[in-house]
Amino acid sequence: DIVMTQTPLSLSVTPGQPASISCKSSQSLLHSEGKTYLYWYLQKPGQPPQLLIYEVSNRFFGVPDRFSGSGSGTDFTLKISRVEAEDVGVYYCMQSTQLPKTFGQGTKLEIK
Amino acid sequence: QVQLQQWGAGLLKPSETLSLTCTIYGGSFSGYYWNWIRQPPGKGLEWIGKINHSGSTNYNPSLKSRVTISVDTSKNQFSLKLSSLTAADTAVYYCARGVGDPWGQGTLVTVSS
């Protein structure tokens, strides 16, 4: 299985400040068909996860443009340009390049 | 807008079989894989398996011997069965379309004697 490692595991950010979460995979996520199947989710308390970013850098419908994803190969990053109170929750990366799909451990974002 | 509604028993005993069903509203089966994912209380996410409209499945090898995912396209439903339950199977179970849009509301399944 591909192991997904997120850092940091927790983050406390002042509103309006940026935040960054790293996700590293134990193998390259570049698929033989040329795409990289790396996704980012936010799970707010008491809710199922919601898709933020698909295929490394594409914002899902309705996701604010303060969220951005980047990376390639085994190293990926989710950035929030200006954190807002509604961004609190746990962020997960997930790969589906190789089955079984695997998730990072999660990064808990809190507001200072 | 597609919505997923899931249901099933929430309290089971060790050795019993978990059975959950997810109904798709506002959309069809075709063109997507339909997933089951679980989350133990206070922990991270684990992918269980997926199925498409024709019944083709993939399972997580860690659970493969105990998992069956099936589909009933006439009812726009897909289902999860997990056998030989132990306390380690206690989790919130989610259904989800594709890579996660949308998700079901989640069902807490507790395994306890």
Side-chain angles (χ1 to χ4, degrees), chain B residues 83-103:
Chain B
S83 63
S84 305
L85 293 173
T86 70
D89 295 311
T90 293
V92 176
Y93 287 76
Y94 295 102
C95 57
R97 183 180 70 171
V99 293
D101 170 60
W103 293 63

Side-chain angles (χ1 to χ4, degrees), chain A residues 1 39 41 43 47-51 54 60 92 94 96 99-105, chain B residues 35 37 39 43-47 50 58-61 94 98-101 103-105:
Chain A
D1 298 4
Y39 303 84
Y41 302 86
Q43 187 174 31
Q47 296 183 20
Q50 57 190 80
L51 180 62
Y54 64 96
F60 189 60
Y92 293 95
M94 184 205 76
S96 65
L99 295 180
K101 298 184 186 185
T102 48
F103 293 86
Q105 321 95 298
Chain B
N35 299 264
I37 296 151
Q39 185 173 35
K43 295 188 178 181
L45 298 158
E46 180 181 30
W47 178 75
K50 62 177 182 173
N58 297 97
Y59 299 131
N60 193 322
Y94 295 102
V99 293
D101 170 60
W103 293 63
Q105 78 276 20

Side-chain angles (χ1 to χ4, degrees), chain B residues 1 3 7 14 23 43 49 53 58 63 76:
Chain B
Q1 185 175 358
Q3 294 185 350
W7 73 89
T23 301
K43 295 188 178 181
H53 69 280
N58 297 97
L63 298 168
N76 250 20

